[in-house]
């Protein structure tokens, strides 16, 4: 069968032969035993409903074995034989080009070069799933191939509910992931209901089909590292950034360090993840001996090198070794998947990678104790470096949150908490850098993918975006000139830095004006046949897409950071303003039950309809968040929303009145 025929087949009427378990692929760890015997039967019934009753006798023992062996039913037998990658939009069998674009993005999320655990349909973060199983993938692709522009596909935590009548301006797909009743949103609830096959953790851009490989976070990490060094008054050259994690999004860190110009040491316990990033050129060197690592870093400091080094081992050992060796760390952070601490997101010091996997599956309580002891050790070592002048920040992975739950010494005193507006001793990068410097002003991770798959199209879009930004910067106010300059520098070096993994995609941080003008320029170029279709999107880690009290909204200090109105408003507003698809998720980079986040995708096809939609939706998508931030009395956001109201007379936002602190102090 051809690729198109296989897509149109969906779930085959005759079962394909069982697949060999490929040991060279990076697989998800075994999930812990959480279902009782009756619940296991329910999980099997839930999985079997995708198949004709004639196949149940064959599939029951197979699915039971998967559930017992891996803790989930993935339906490996249904994994397609064709190569999983983003193809040109023309390669897909589709009545709707918008639907074909979504098919392209789904396949990109599962590309072996992009996905963390491709055979388990997990894109990044240890549990960020595109689908729960391969039957859902096959059925979704078939629905998308059959869809017309007056239908909407409803996605129910990986399950394609079906096609429903709508209209051409409605989203082609509406996605929800893990939207639980609040009292059922604890980590073990995810384990249970995911094992039952009734919900999934979509992370941010995994379950919303908008992941573009580690490039998606390289730019944000580059900005963070650059501004981290600015904050401590140092140039990056010859100075040291220490962090951890090379799988999924965290793999962006060494590349970002190289672009910023510093020395980066990034620890990783999984040899396959290290090999992947090294083979892709995202990290320069790999060292597995602490003594050799120490000598190499001392040499790099002496020579003021720009170099990235992967340490094959545990980051706790690096923090402790560098303290003993008195190696000064200028910037420190962590990007292990601590939103998922008990199921492979964080590996404790003192245990090998294999020992940890064994313990987490068979003795989960012992594994949890080992993780928490490791977090206490890591925090203690970080405190020693901080006393010597290291600037440490939480990189939004729930490190400080989980360390505090482990009893680590990272809490502020009551006096310092009042003074800094922080319960933790160290800030999150959003509190110190991304929030006040970017999000409050409307700058966030604007993305696009060239649907043709042609690198020449990507080059042309880079040039278009750079030209637009340079024109905007000539009249930019002083408050945002640094952000504009950083983005122009980024886009000018994008081709040279070889950031593409998977689809021909790009990211840059832009405000509403930048996003709309760049998108409008793309749409005009498409209408002139200068480039093919372009798919717009963003990370959910943005100005208004996400309510996350320990990350995206951690610099909101009016007491509302634990509310989730903004994310819900955002996705509702995007859906009727012209988004091609929308998504809303429970969970994300800081954990299940800790955040609500929303995203979108938008296809530009060169038409007047696309021009109308992009202007309406992108303006709302950004200014919704600025409005919320301005109401929280964030000065940058008040400045930004006032500018937006001057540009758009139909925008009228309630502004806060500030209170004289002396009056409050006399109460």
């Amino acid at each position: 069968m051809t690729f198109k025929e296989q897509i149109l087949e969906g779930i085959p009427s005759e079962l394909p032969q069982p697949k060999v378990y490929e040991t060279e692929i990076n697989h998800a760890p075994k999930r812990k035993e959480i279902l009782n015997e009756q619940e296991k039967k329910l999980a099997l019934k839930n999985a079997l409903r995708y198949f004709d009753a004639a196949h149940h006798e064959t599939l029951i023992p197979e699915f039971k074995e998967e559930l017992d062996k891996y803790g989930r039913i993935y339906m490996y037998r249904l994994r397609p034989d064709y190569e999983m990658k983003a193809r040109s939009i023309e390669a897909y069998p589709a009545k709707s080009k918008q639907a074909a674009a979504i098919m392209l993005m789904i396949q990109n999320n599962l590309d072996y070069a992009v996905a963390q655990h491709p055979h388990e349909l997990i894109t990044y973060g240890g549990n960020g799933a595109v689908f729960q199983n391969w039957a859902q993938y096959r059925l979704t692709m078939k629905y998308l191939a059959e869809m017309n522009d007056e239908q909407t596909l409803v996605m129910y935590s990986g399950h394609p509910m079906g096609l429903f009548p709508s209209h051409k301006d409605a989203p082609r797909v509406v996605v929800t992931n893990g939207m639980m009743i609040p009292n059922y949103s604890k980590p073990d609830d995810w384990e249970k209901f995911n094992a039952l096959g009734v919900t999934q953790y979509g992370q941010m851009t995994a379950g919303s089909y908008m992941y573009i490989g580690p490039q998606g976070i390289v730019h944000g990490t580059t900005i963070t590292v650059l501004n981290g060094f600015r904050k401590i008054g140092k140039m990056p050259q010859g100075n040291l950034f220490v962090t951890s994690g090379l799988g999924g999004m965290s793999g962006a860190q060494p590349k970002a360090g190289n672009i910023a110009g510093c020395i980066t040491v990034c620890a990783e316990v999984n040899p396959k993840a290290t090999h992947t990033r090294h083979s892709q050129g995202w990290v320069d060197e790999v060292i597995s001996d602490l003594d050799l690592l120490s000598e190499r870093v001392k040499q790099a400091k002496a020579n003021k090198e720009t170099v990235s080094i992967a340490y094959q081992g545990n980051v706790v050992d690096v923090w402790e070794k560098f303290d003993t060796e008195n190696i000064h760390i200028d910037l420190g952070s962590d990007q292990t998947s601590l939103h998922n601490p008990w199921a492979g997101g964080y590996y404790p010091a003192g245990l090998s990678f294999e020992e940890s996997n064994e313990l987490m599956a068979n003795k989960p309580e012992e594994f949890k104790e080992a993780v928490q002891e490791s977090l206490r050790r890591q925090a203690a070592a970080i405190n020693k470096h901080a006393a010597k002048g290291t600037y440490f920040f939480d990189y939004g992975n729930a490190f400080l949150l989980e360390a505090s739950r482990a009893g680590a010494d990272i809490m502020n005193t009551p006096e310092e908490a009042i003074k800094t507006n922080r319960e933790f001793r160290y800030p999150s990068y959003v509190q110190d850098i991304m929030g006040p410097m970017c999000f409050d002003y409307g700058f966030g991770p604007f993305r696009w993918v060239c649907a043709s798959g042609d690198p020449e199209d990507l080059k042309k879009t880079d040039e278009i975006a750079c030209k637009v930004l340079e024109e905007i910067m000539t009249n930019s106010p002083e408050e945002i000139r640094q952000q504009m300059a950083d983005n122009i520098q980024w886009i000018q070096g994008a081709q040279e830095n070889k950031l593409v993994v998977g689809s021909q995609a790009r990211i840059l941080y832009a405000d509403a004006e930048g996003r709309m003008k760049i998108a409008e320029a793309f749409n005009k170029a498409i209408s002139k046949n200068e480039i093919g279709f372009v798919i717009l999107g963003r990370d959910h880690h943005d100005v208004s897409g996400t309510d996350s009290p320990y990350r995206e909204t951690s610099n909101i200090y009016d007491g509302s950071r634990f509310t989730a109105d903004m994310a819900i408003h955002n996705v509702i507003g995007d859906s009727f303003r012209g988004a091609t698809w929308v998504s809303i998720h429970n969970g994300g980079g800081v954990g299940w039950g800790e955040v609500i986040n929303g995203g979108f995708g938008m296809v530009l096809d060169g038409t007047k309809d696309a021009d109308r939609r992009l202007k309406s939706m992108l303006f709302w998508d950004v200014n919704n968040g600025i409005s919320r931030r301005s109401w929280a009395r964030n000065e940058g956001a008040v400045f930004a929303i006032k500018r937006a109201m001057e540009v758009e007379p139909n925008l009228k936002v309630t502004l806060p009145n500030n209170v004289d602190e002396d009056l409050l102090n006399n109460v």
Side-chain angles (χ1 to χ4, degrees):
M1 296 174 71
T2 66
F3 170 70
K4 289 184 177 181
E5 287 170 340
Q6 289 183 72
I7 293 291
L8 289 166
E9 180 186 39
I11 298 173
S13 56
E14 292 187 19
L15 292 179
Q17 291 299 307
K19 292 286 191 297
V20 175
Y21 187 85
E22 298 179 22
T23 55
E24 69 275 12
I25 296 294
N26 193 18
H27 287 283
K30 180 186 176 183
R31 307 304 183 181
K32 70 179 182 180
E33 188 90 8
I34 199 162
L35 302 181
N36 61 35
E37 290 307 310
Q38 283 303 113
E39 289 167 338
K40 287 181 180 179
K41 289 182 180 178
L42 181 57
L44 288 168
K45 286 175 66 176
N46 289 343
L48 291 165
R49 58 187 161 178
Y50 287 102
F51 302 92
D52 187 278
H55 300 308
H56 290 183
E57 188 175 355
T58 301
L59 292 175
I60 285 172
E62 186 174 313
F63 288 172
K64 184 180 185 302
E65 182 183 17
E66 287 186 12
L67 189 60
D68 291 340
K69 196 170 183 179
Y70 309 115
R72 297 294 185 272
I73 299 172
Y74 296 115
M75 306 182 188
Y76 290 122
R77 179 195 286 259
L78 274 290
R79 187 166 52 79
D81 293 323
Y82 52 75
E83 184 180 1
M84 193 63 66
K85 66 177 183 179
R87 292 158 170 80
S88 164
I89 194 170
E90 302 299 332
Y92 294 93
K95 299 174 183 177
S96 163
K97 288 296 182 188
Q98 293 184 355
I102 298 168
M103 297 165 82
L104 181 163
M105 297 301 294
I106 287 172
Q107 288 205 304
N108 187 66
N109 270 23
L110 296 171
D111 186 325
Y112 284 18
V114 173
Q116 184 181 17
H117 306 308
H119 286 190
E120 289 75 39
L121 300 118
I122 290 171
T123 301
Y124 64 89
N127 55 8
V130 189
F131 300 99
Q132 297 174 56
N133 57 60
W134 286 103
Q136 291 178 346
Y137 166 84
R138 283 178 174 264
L139 190 53
T140 299
M141 295 294 278
K142 178 178 171 63
Y143 275 136
L144 288 168
E146 294 172 344
M147 168 191 287
N148 62 50
D149 285 334
E150 293 189 351
Q151 289 176 302
T152 293
L153 174 61
V154 177
M155 297 298 301
Y156 198 90
S157 285
H159 168 64
M161 187 69 76
L163 294 171
F164 291 81
S166 57
H167 55 84
K168 70 172 186 176
D169 282 333
R172 296 283 68 79
V173 181
V174 175
V175 180
T176 59
N177 282 297
M179 301 305 293
M180 305 297 293
I181 302 300
N183 281 350
Y184 301 89
S185 204
K186 298 179 289 297
D188 270 0
D189 291 324
W190 171 74
E191 293 281 1
K192 177 180 177 178
F193 293 110
N194 189 227
L196 284 173
V198 295
T199 195
Q200 72 173 14
Y201 192 104
Q203 258 281 355
M204 290 185 139
T205 52
S208 61
Y209 325 142
M210 191 43 72
Y211 190 55
I212 59 169
Q215 179 188 176
I217 199 173
V218 171
H219 185 29
T221 308
T222 301
I223 289 174
T224 301
V225 172
L226 283 172
N227 284 304
F229 279 111
R230 288 168 183 154
K231 195 167 185 66
I232 62 176
K234 289 185 176 182
M235 296 296 291
Q237 286 72 26
N239 290 314
L240 178 60
F241 171 43
V242 169
T243 184
S244 57
L246 284 173
M249 281 195 170
S250 57
Q253 295 178 107
K255 173 70 82 170
N258 281 0
I259 295 170
C262 63
I263 303 162
T264 304
V265 171
C266 189
E268 171 57 57
V269 297
N270 184 347
K272 289 181 179 177
T274 305
H275 172 75
T276 296
R277 294 302 174 225
H278 188 239
S279 66
Q280 290 173 341
W282 285 65
V283 64
D284 299 326
E285 302 174 17
V286 179
I287 296 175
S288 56
D289 181 277
L290 282 170
D291 290 327
L292 291 177
L293 178 67
S294 298
E295 290 306 311
R296 181 67 185 94
V297 169
K298 290 174 184 177
Q299 179 190 51
K301 276 177 166 281
N303 296 334
K304 292 190 178 298
E305 293 181 50
T306 295
V307 64
S308 55
I309 305 165
Y311 172 65
Q312 184 61 63
N314 201 291
V315 73
V316 179
D317 298 324
V318 176
W319 283 105
E320 292 175 344
K321 178 69 171 179
F322 283 10
D323 175 51
T324 303
E325 294 288 324
N326 206 28
I327 294 173
H328 181 68
I329 299 171
D330 299 278
L331 299 185
S333 194
D334 184 281
Q335 209 179 356
T336 52
S337 297
L338 264 162
H339 67 277
N340 180 32
W342 324 127
Y346 180 94
Y347 284 78
L351 294 173
S352 70
F353 182 63
E354 292 75 19
E355 288 170 339
S356 290
N357 282 332
E358 179 74 18
L359 200 63
M360 80 172 75
N362 299 317
K363 297 180 180 178
E365 288 305 313
E366 284 187 32
F367 181 74
K368 182 176 180 178
E369 290 173 10
V371 166
Q372 293 191 320
E373 171 58 27
S374 184
L375 285 168
R376 291 191 289 270
R377 272 180 61 184
Q378 186 171 348
I382 288 167
N383 290 341
K384 290 180 180 179
H385 284 277
K388 300 176 187 178
T390 296
Y391 172 60
F392 182 85
F393 55 89
D394 185 298
Y395 202 17
N397 65 329
F399 172 77
L400 292 176
L401 183 63
E402 288 302 331
S404 71
R405 290 169 175 170
D409 180 20
I410 46 81
M411 303 305 294
N412 255 331
T413 63
E415 295 78 17
E416 281 297 310
I418 293 170
K419 181 181 175 182
T420 62
N421 269 318
R422 291 199 317 259
E423 61 264 62
F424 300 124
R425 180 179 302 178
Y426 304 106
S428 84
Y429 75 121
V430 173
Q431 288 175 314
D432 260 18
I433 296 170
M434 299 304 288
M437 294 180 183
C438 293
F439 293 166
D440 284 354
Y441 289 101
F443 284 84
F446 181 56
R447 297 177 173 185
W448 66 88
V449 176
C450 295
S452 66
D454 186 351
E456 191 60 31
D457 271 9
L458 185 60
K459 183 180 178 182
K460 289 176 182 176
T461 57
D462 285 344
E463 292 167 355
I464 291 169
C466 188
K467 183 179 178 182
V468 169
L469 291 179
E470 287 172 340
E471 289 172 354
I472 294 174
M473 188 173 173
T474 58
N475 296 311
S476 293
E478 187 61 35
E479 287 85 348
I480 62 172
R481 291 188 71 81
Q482 183 65 66
Q483 292 94 317
M484 296 297 298
D486 283 348
N487 277 289
I488 290 169
Q489 180 182 345
W490 163 267
I491 203 71
Q492 287 174 339
Q495 294 281 332
E496 178 186 343
N497 286 313
K498 296 181 173 62
L499 298 165
V500 170
V501 176
S503 60
Q504 294 296 314
R506 187 66 72 228
I507 182 174
L508 60 80
Y509 268 49
D511 61 3
E513 180 186 14
R515 299 184 205 202
M516 287 189 293
K517 287 184 175 178
I518 291 170
E520 183 181 19
F522 289 168
N523 203 49
K524 286 180 179 176
I526 296 166
S527 70
K528 296 176 182 176
N529 292 318
E530 294 171 356
I531 57 174
F533 286 13
V534 172
I535 305 163
L536 302 182
R538 58 162 169 75
D539 191 358
H540 300 196
H541 173 63
D542 197 9
V543 180
S544 65
T546 295
D547 283 298
S548 179
Y550 295 104
R551 195 163 81 177
E552 283 79 3
T553 45
S554 61
N555 72 315
I556 288 179
Y557 303 112
D558 68 348
S560 71
R561 66 190 176 119
F562 293 95
T563 65
D565 303 78
M566 179 178 70
I568 301 299
H569 286 157
N570 183 256
V571 76
I572 292 171
D574 283 355
S575 68
F576 67 76
R577 285 179 170 88
T580 306
W581 73 97
V582 291
S583 58
I584 189 78
H585 303 175
N586 167 25
V590 296
W592 177 265
E594 305 282 0
V595 51
I596 299 295
N597 64 88
F600 76 87
M602 174 176 273
V603 178
L604 301 182
D605 58 7
T607 62
K608 290 181 180 179
D609 279 342
D611 186 70
R612 170 177 53 84
R613 291 171 187 149
L614 73 87
K615 290 171 182 173
S616 174
M617 201 216 73
L618 293 176
F619 185 85
W620 157 259
D621 191 66
V622 175
N623 283 295
N624 168 52
I626 299 175
S627 302
R628 188 267 178 95
R629 293 168 186 277
S630 71
W631 187 238
R633 295 182 291 271
N634 292 17
E635 290 183 10
V638 172
F639 168 85
I641 204 64
K642 285 180 177 178
R643 280 190 75 216
M645 285 192 283
E646 290 171 3
V647 171
E648 175 51 73
N650 283 335
L651 178 67
K652 299 184 186 299
V653 172
T654 308
L655 296 175
N657 294 298
N658 291 319
V659 181
D660 188 327
E661 292 291 332
D662 290 337
L663 291 175
L664 288 174
N665 292 335
N666 292 329
V667 173

